[in-house]
Amino acid sequence: MDIGKEKRLSIALQISNFRTALKGFEKLVEHVAAQKRDERAGLFIQKEDVIDYDKFYTAVQELFGPEVKNQDVKCFYRKLCNNPDASTDWCEIFGYLSSEEDSPASHMDEENLVFLVSRKQRIVISGSRRRDVIKCIVKIPQLDLLITASQKGLITVFNSQMRVQASTNVMDTSWITGCDYLSQLKRIVATTERTIIVWDYKAQGSGQENYFVIKPMDHCLLCVCVVSLPDQLCRDDILLGDDGGFVNKFTVNSDDFGLKQAKSKKKLQSQVLDSKNFKSVKRKLHNDWVMKIRYITPLSCFGSCSLDSVHSLVLESLKRLEDNLPVREFSMPRGANTFCYCTKANVIVTGDSDETGIILYS
């Protein structure tokens, strides 16, 4: 038998074995999904028949071998438990999502037997001594910087080599809910549940610990974004979403955070400013929490989404925040907890808690 024929037979055998494994995996998923439906219905299941995560992971390894990673299988199992009726793809257990046009055979040639190669680097942030999670990550392309804000108040600025350029700890009893970059004032804005934080990350030495706190707020702040308009000088507009369904716009000027004031109080870790002294407008656009808010520059409008099934997504100009005229809105059965705009395709994609989405052509 020549080498070429032997190679083709080997590939054919691999494909046949993989298809057999896929059928076994489909039966395993159907069994677990049926079990989770019975549990939700309150039906009794014998303890020895319950397929917990350990049993599921062992079965998947027996089907596909050591290529599967614990973290990928765990994500797949969690998804299956949360929604047994959700669509699943075998590629998910390898940490890879294929399109519907991709066939299993296309992944089985000799040069493509690895489903996922991940390149990652662990970044250790000095000074972070508490168990914490990253709440927000913002990329600043024009400065080649990355901003992260943790839930417990650690704001960090990284350069393109992921080296820490500046960091500060926001001493607030409330959790951080979001952050963004003030392009005109050259500062970083972050929100806690009850305050707006403005931080001069370029300050040297102990000055990095100085930041401004704007409060009080009428409602719990859940998300924030900055409006980037090229014609604005020394002024930034901040959009805020809260738990009352309101979209708020705060205007901050360079005079609000003057150098004289900062120098005279440089020993203070934070300086409190009254929110009533800032120009602001707000309008109730949703009947539930505002989950995400973004200003979409190519469309010259902002977008805000909510779990509200009637007023799920709003796309409108900033002027509509100052009046009571009708706004352009979309309703979705389960609301929307996130959305994203694609410039090239000129579409807006939404997502809800059931991992389903809607594409809106603008």
Side-chain angles (χ1 to χ4, degrees):
M1 183 181 297
D2 58 46
I3 298 177
K5 187 174 182 180
E6 184 177 351
K7 181 179 178 180
R8 289 192 294 272
L9 288 175
S10 176
I11 294 176
L13 180 61
Q14 291 179 37
I15 294 175
S16 176
N17 291 339
F18 189 76
R19 285 175 176 168
T20 302
L22 280 181
K23 291 180 181 179
F25 179 71
E26 290 174 356
K27 292 181 180 179
L28 175 64
V29 171
E30 289 175 0
H31 191 176
V32 175
Q35 188 178 93
K36 296 303 176 183
R37 294 190 195 98
D38 291 344
E39 288 179 357
R40 291 189 174 189
L43 300 179
F44 176 75
I45 301 175
Q46 294 290 342
K47 186 176 181 179
E48 58 272 13
D49 295 333
V50 174
I51 302 179
D52 58 12
Y53 172 71
D54 292 333
K55 291 182 180 179
F56 184 80
Y57 180 61
T58 301
V60 171
Q61 274 201 318
E62 291 176 354
L63 290 170
F64 296 107
E67 288 86 0
V68 293
K69 296 181 180 180
N70 184 25
Q71 59 190 28
D72 296 326
V73 179
K74 187 173 292 185
C75 289
F76 183 92
Y77 183 78
R78 186 182 297 116
K79 172 184 174 180
L80 191 60
C81 293
N82 290 337
N83 187 1
D85 298 318
S87 60
T88 57
D89 194 315
W90 62 268
C91 293
E92 295 179 55
I93 63 167
F94 295 95
Y96 173 76
L97 292 176
S98 65
S99 62
E100 294 181 359
E101 292 78 17
D102 291 337
S103 63
S106 66
H107 299 284
M108 294 306 297
D109 59 272
E110 187 181 50
E111 297 178 356
N112 192 21
L113 292 178
V114 180
F115 294 94
L116 175 67
V117 176
S118 60
R119 178 183 295 176
K120 58 186 178 181
Q121 178 183 2
R122 182 179 295 274
I123 306 298
V124 179
I125 305 175
S126 60
S128 179
R129 302 174 183 175
R130 302 168 293 178
R131 185 174 180 85
D132 207 349
V133 295
I134 296 296
K135 186 65 177 178
C136 182
I137 300 177
V138 178
K139 174 70 174 178
I140 313 300
Q142 65 269 29
L143 299 177
D144 205 16
L145 296 176
L146 188 73
I147 304 170
T148 66
S150 74
Q151 193 174 59
K152 293 185 179 180
L154 179 62
I155 305 176
T156 309
V157 180
F158 297 90
N159 63 13
S160 57
Q161 286 75 44
M162 293 305 295
R163 295 178 180 174
V164 176
Q165 300 298 291
S167 67
T168 189
N169 269 299
V170 175
M171 305 305 293
D172 198 298
T173 56
S174 300
W175 283 350
I176 290 280
T177 57
C179 68
D180 207 345
Y181 180 70
L182 298 170
S183 56
Q184 295 297 327
L185 300 188
K186 312 300 181 187
R187 301 193 182 197
I188 292 173
V189 60
T191 52
T192 72
E193 295 170 335
R194 293 296 179 186
T195 61
I196 301 173
I197 308 295
V198 177
W199 172 47
D200 183 7
Y201 70 98
K202 301 183 300 302
Q204 300 297 318
S206 60
Q208 285 190 354
E209 297 300 318
N210 291 338
Y211 51 84
F212 292 88
V213 179
I214 303 174
K215 63 178 184 180
M217 298 293 146
D218 294 333
H219 295 275
C220 176
L221 303 180
L222 301 176
C223 50
V224 60
C225 79
V226 174
V227 179
S228 298
L229 297 177
D231 57 339
Q232 289 188 169
L233 295 176
C234 303
R235 188 191 80 187
D236 280 298
D237 287 330
I238 305 171
L239 295 180
L240 308 159
D242 62 36
D243 64 349
F246 288 89
V247 172
N248 308 258
K249 185 182 75 168
F250 263 76
T251 301
V252 292
N253 297 277
S254 57
D255 294 339
D256 298 325
F257 315 102
L259 293 176
K260 292 182 180 180
Q261 184 183 18
K263 288 181 179 179
S264 64
K265 298 183 180 182
K266 63 181 180 180
K267 293 183 179 180
L268 295 178
Q269 185 174 11
S270 63
Q271 303 171 53
V272 179
L273 302 178
D274 192 341
S275 60
K276 296 179 181 178
N277 296 331
F278 292 81
K279 180 182 178 181
S280 65
V281 294
K282 68 176 182 179
R283 181 175 175 181
K284 186 175 177 64
L285 296 176
H286 306 277
N287 291 327
D288 207 326
W289 292 6
V290 180
M291 304 302 294
K292 183 175 181 178
I293 189 165
R294 281 290 179 270
Y295 185 77
I296 307 174
T297 303
L299 303 182
S300 298
C301 73
F302 73 90
S304 63
C305 67
S306 171
L307 299 178
D308 181 357
S309 60
V310 179
H311 315 284
S312 307
L313 177 67
V314 172
L315 295 173
E316 197 50 88
S317 67
L318 293 174
K319 294 180 180 179
R320 294 285 78 81
L321 295 177
E322 302 177 15
D323 56 40
N324 293 316
L325 296 177
V327 295
R328 182 170 53 163
E329 60 183 7
F330 305 87
S331 61
M332 304 169 194
R334 296 184 181 275
N337 56 18
T338 189
F339 68 94
C340 183
Y341 173 72
C342 177
T343 305
K344 291 184 178 180
N346 195 31
V347 298
I348 293 176
V349 182
T350 67
D352 62 23
S353 56
D354 287 340
E355 301 182 10
T356 57
I358 298 176
I359 299 178
L360 304 173
Y361 288 86
S362 61

